Amino acid sequence: MKNSSRMPSPIPQADFRVAILLPTAVDKPFTYLAPYALQAGTLVATKLMGRKLVGCVWDDPAEDVPLNKLKPIDAVLDFPPLSAAYRH
């Protein structure tokens, strides 16, 4: 049964790199870990510097950041992904 309250889905072990654009003064996405490959435009909950934020999965994640430096996302939000038109 699909959760109609739009609550975040819990996240199991994270293994996939994802680029997340967050509402910050930085004009590039941050690289996080997700439990599975996420479609660009997917909304997620995560933390940055101890703050809980909602972000959007962007295009390609940075591959030069060591895996042990990456943090997992907290949840995948139950909303349709943003289309490419909204992401450019």
Side-chain angles (χ1 to χ4, degrees), residues 5-6 11 16 37 44-45 49 52 54 62 64 83 85:
S5 66
R6 303 271 189 214
I11 297 296
F16 291 88
V44 298
M49 305 288 290
K52 293 180 182 180
V54 172
D64 60 342
S83 69

Side-chain angles (χ1 to χ4, degrees), residues 2-39:
K2 191 159 179 112
N3 186 348
S4 62
S5 66
R6 303 271 189 214
M7 294 299 294
S9 304
I11 297 296
Q13 179 177 342
D15 293 322
F16 291 88
R17 290 174 185 258
V18 290
I20 307 292
L21 191 64
L22 296 168
T24 68
V26 178
D27 66 346
K28 65 178 185 113
F30 294 87
T31 303
Y32 282 84
L33 292 173
Y36 47 86
L38 295 173
Q39 177 182 348

